[in-house]
Structure formats: structure tokens, C-alpha cells
Amino acid sequence: MNYIILALSVFVFTILIRKSTCRYTWYLLFSVFFLEAAIFFSMMYVARMGKYPYPANILFQLDYEMFLSISRMKIRMDTILRLINIGVALFLFFMVLFARQFVFPYRKRFNLREAAMVLLLAALPVFYIWYNDPLVRLDLYLRLDSNQSGLGTLLRIVDAVNAIWITAYLFLPMGMLVDFYRQTTLQLKRKQILALVCSFFVLNVCCLLLFIFGPFRSIYSFSSGRSLIDLPDLSTMPSYFFTVVPFAMVLMIIVTMAAVIRYKGFDTVDLFRNVLLRRQKFELSDNMRSVFHSFKNTLFTVNILAEQAQETGDAAGREELLRKIQTVTDHSFDSITRMLDSLKNPNLETASCYLVDAVEEALAMMDIPESVRMEKRYRVADVMSTFDMHHITQVIQNIVQNAVDSILMAGIAEGKIEIEVSAEHEWAILRIKDNGVGIKKADQYKIFQSFYTTKSRSTNWGVGLSYAFQVIKAHFGCIVVDSKEQEGTVFQILLLRNKKG
């Protein structure tokens, strides 16, 4: 059982490292902490009752040593039971608070109505802690024994209410997240919700196994006065609660951590940072090799054209060859300039701007082929964000140009690019969708790397999307891609939304 405590401790520590300043992290952290506390004091109860089995093999030796350390703590039995109830109640309370905070509407003020809602949510856990206090239940037992009329019926009603609200608090957060998943258009939010639902499922299973249907059950069913003062019976507690259940729960917590790392990007944790940097170093070397090979081909082409110009005796032919040389060198200069710009951090000059204005300015400077139809949907036309107009305009141009190139490569008779501006919670959202050739699944993880490209090196050196990624990152935003081969690609850019827009 102590292995579950260790696994939950790692879970809490990882959350704290990753997002200690996030507005909803602390709710989840407190929820996991109080579940961990309830399990800890349950183990203390086992130690006081002397029901912990001696380890059958070395796998449980550390667990047993932790049990011996816990057993040396001197805490009264009624205090232990009280702390278990507090841990379970606060675990359920903070789970609901976390879910509400995660789906909290943008700019919604914390008014009296919200305060009343939080107090209402807190009232049931507070009542549960009071009602299940050992001294209160002893007092109810004495009153019931004195044949007070109607008290037995009232206790049955209270037990039913406790069963209902505990069940609701267990599954309400998951329901809220699933409902939010259906409503949100943010791909990043959807991935976060998947990881959170996975986390909630594991925590709920742990709570159900131990405190709802398990040996330390928190839902009572009044049958007689004796049930008010009965302590959790460990004599019939199956041995698998000390062997199979801990390992199963630890495995589920590990899987949950893997899901959180995969979907929420725990790349800032030092444990993974060095591996990631080494991987990017090798990938960058491969991309640079391709770039220099392309540059070598360009110089080779210029050399051949220069030799032909020297050998030809026709003035018109020589002039045509020189124009070709000029075209090749101009393209190379432009590519090198963009490559050098992509290697340095953008120097931002930010101002509060309408996102729609950036889209219009970017499209005004582009030459879109007639075969490509442009559709603009400004669902929230007045959404504002603080950004560098020049750099964001360049980012939009890069992505739209990629969309045009993808459509032309697909050879579609009627190409279509959809540009949508909207807003959700704290984000201003720009969505650019095309019906081009799409991007392979393996390439989607590499397209934001410097010098990586799926196009011909003679016309593209792979700096556009790398530059876009750096610019959006410098604005504390996010850029996400979703693509299917032969169907098209969707880029979604998230920028922090101004309170006035």
C-alpha cells in the first residue's frame, strides 16, 4: 500500500515542477495530496490494528519498512479515523473545484454567485467530516439507544444523501471535462482533457477500491445502532489488498504519468530534457547536411551557367544565361537571409492589435493563384492580442504559402484555404485549413525543426515553419498541426487574448 503513496508523491512532485504557476494546477495538486493523506492514515490504522502481513518476497521489503516507520507514530485511533475522513472529503472537494476551474469561462468574475456555489460545494464535504467524526457517531449511538423516535429513519436518509453526493463528486469532474471536450475547438485543450480524464479515472479507481467499496469504506448503510460505532473490519480484508492492488495502482499511475507527459508536454522536466536535446542535435545535423548539399548544387548550377556564358558567342544567349545566374543567386540570397533570420530569436515590438488585421495585411501582400479559393470566417472579429504585427504577418504568410504549395502539389482542380479567427477562454485562435496533399504522420513531429522540409531543396530550405514556431513561442503562444495525407492540413495558432478583446 505504501508503494501507492510513493507513486502519488511522484505524481504531485511532477505536477509541481511542471506547472506550479498554473491557475488550476494547485486544485489538482491538493486533490492528489489529500487522497495520498487518506491512504497514509489508513496505513496507520492498519498498523494500530496489527493486520499488516509480513512480506512474502523481497518486492515488498521496502513497503514493509515504510509500514514499520508509520507504526512508530503515536496518534490516537479516533484522530486517525478523523484524518482519513478529512482526506477523502477534501480529495472529492478539490476534484470538483479543479474541473470547474479548468472549464471556467474566460474573464468570468468571481462574484457572490460563484462564492455561494463554492460554499455549497464545500458544505457537503464539511457535513460528511462532521457526521463521520467518531465522537459524533458515538453521540448518535447513545441517543439512538435511548429510543429517540425517528432518529433511525433520519440516519438512513443521511447515509443515502452521503452515498449520492460522494458518487456525484467522483464522476462529476469527469463528466464536466468530457462535456468541455465536446465543446472546445482547441486541439491543445482536447489533448489536455484526455490526459486529465485518464488521471481522474486512476484516482477514482484508487478511491473506490479503498474508501468506497474497500476495507476503509466511507459510505455507511445504517442498519442498527451498532453500525454507528463499528470500526473498519480488517479481519476479512483480502491479502490482495497488500499485494496485487498496490502494484496494479502503481502501474496505472505510471500509465497516467506517461499520458500526461505525452499530451501536456513535460519536456521541461530535467529527466527528459537532455535526451530531447541530444535527439534534436542529431536531427539538426541531418537537416543542415541537406541544406549545404542544396547550396552546393546551387553553386554548381551557377558555375555551369558561367562557363556557358563564357563559351557562347551570341550576345543574346549570353544575356539570357546571365539573367538565369541572377535569378539563381537572388533566390539563394533570399533563402540564406530567411535561414539566418530563423536562427536568431525574433526581436519583438509588440502592441495590442486585432488578429483579423494581421490576417488581412498578410493576405494583401500575397499573390494567391486563381485556382485556390480563399474562405475567411471571422467568428470573433474583435478579438485582440498583444503581438508584433510584422512577425505575426510573416507567420501567416508562411503558413498560407505552404497551404498553396500543398494544393498545387496535389493537383486539385479547385483548391480551398479556410482561415478562421475565433476566441476561447484566454486564447485568441487562428485556424488555417487547406485541402492539399497533407503531411505524413512521421513528418508532423519534425516540420517545426530548423531546415527540415518535405519539399524540393532547390526551392525550399525548411525555414518557414521553424521561424513560425519561434515567433509564436516568443509570444508565449502555441502552434499545433493536424494533417491527413491526401486530405489536407490544419494549423491552429493560439495567442494570449487581451482582456479588452
Side-chain angles (χ1 to χ4, degrees), residues 122 381 485:
E485 287 189 80

Side-chain angles (χ1 to χ4, degrees), residues 15-178:
I15 293 173
L16 201 56
I17 290 178
R18 174 60 183 139
K19 286 287 186 180
S20 61
T21 59
C22 184
R23 64 190 177 98
Y24 53 79
T25 292
W26 286 95
Y27 293 107
L28 181 60
L29 188 147
F30 281 127
S31 182
V32 177
F33 171 78
F34 283 116
L35 178 61
E36 183 182 0
I39 298 174
F40 176 84
F41 290 112
S42 298
M43 291 307 303
M44 189 172 292
Y45 175 81
V46 173
R48 293 296 300 272
M49 299 297 289
K51 296 294 184 179
Y52 195 88
Y54 188 79
N57 55 62
I58 195 171
L59 290 175
F60 297 95
Q61 190 60 43
L62 176 60
D63 187 80
Y64 186 69
E65 292 297 331
M66 294 177 62
F67 164 75
L68 293 178
S69 299
I70 293 174
S71 64
R72 299 188 186 99
M73 299 180 181
K74 305 300 181 182
I75 301 180
R76 291 169 47 182
M77 182 65 78
D78 62 325
T79 303
I80 293 175
L81 294 173
R82 192 174 289 117
L83 291 173
I84 292 175
N85 292 331
I86 292 174
V88 173
L90 292 181
F91 160 71
L92 297 171
F93 173 65
F94 278 104
M95 283 274 282
V96 176
L97 276 190
F98 169 81
R100 288 191 76 254
Q101 185 68 13
F102 189 81
V103 301
F104 210 82
Y106 178 68
R107 290 185 298 166
K108 187 174 182 179
R109 300 296 182 185
F110 190 79
N111 49 31
L112 290 177
R113 182 178 178 182
E114 289 300 315
M117 180 61 69
V118 172
L119 290 176
L120 180 60
L121 290 173
L124 292 172
V126 170
F127 173 78
Y128 168 85
I129 294 171
W130 171 83
Y131 177 72
N132 288 288
D133 187 274
L135 295 181
V136 172
R137 295 185 73 84
L138 177 61
D139 181 63
L140 291 173
Y141 170 76
L142 295 176
R143 292 176 183 274
L144 187 68
D145 194 49
S146 63
N147 296 320
Q148 290 196 16
S149 61
L151 183 57
T153 303
L154 178 61
L155 292 178
R156 288 185 178 88
I157 295 175
V158 171
D159 286 337
V161 170
N162 275 332
I164 292 172
W165 83 259
I166 288 176
T167 304
Y169 274 49
L170 276 173
F171 295 101
L172 180 61
M174 295 181 66
M176 294 170 66
L177 290 176
V178 170

Side-chain angles (χ1 to χ4, degrees), residues 188-201:
L188 180 63
K189 283 285 186 184
R190 290 191 169 190
K191 292 179 180 180
Q192 289 177 334
I193 290 172
L194 289 175
L196 290 172
V197 169
C198 182
S199 301
F200 281 16
F201 175 78

Side-chain angles (χ1 to χ4, degrees), residues 430-441:
L430 173 61
R431 183 173 176 269
I432 302 175
K433 178 182 179 181
D434 67 69
N435 61 343
V437 294
I439 305 172
K440 295 179 180 178
K441 192 71 175 180

Side-chain angles (χ1 to χ4, degrees), residues 204-250:
N204 284 350
V205 168
C206 186
C207 185
L208 287 168
L209 284 176
L210 295 176
F211 302 108
I212 307 302
F213 301 114
F216 308 101
R217 62 189 182 91
S218 298
I219 297 180
Y220 296 90
S221 179
F222 176 79
S223 57
S224 64
R226 185 69 186 176
S227 63
L228 289 170
I229 58 174
D230 281 343
L231 296 176
D233 184 12
L234 302 182
S235 60
T236 59
M237 187 175 181
S239 60
Y240 60 75
F241 269 98
F242 298 100
T243 54
V244 178
V245 171
F247 274 106
M249 289 306 306
V250 169

Side-chain angles (χ1 to χ4, degrees), residues 417-449:
I417 298 176
E418 300 176 9
I419 298 181
E420 180 181 292
V421 175
S422 60
E424 184 176 312
H425 284 219
E426 68 269 31
W427 297 107
I429 309 167
L430 173 61
R431 183 173 176 269
I432 302 175
K433 178 182 179 181
D434 67 69
N435 61 343
V437 294
I439 305 172
K440 295 179 180 178
K441 192 71 175 180
D443 291 332
Q444 292 181 33
Y445 301 102
K446 303 177 182 178
I447 58 173
F448 296 115
Q449 297 174 8

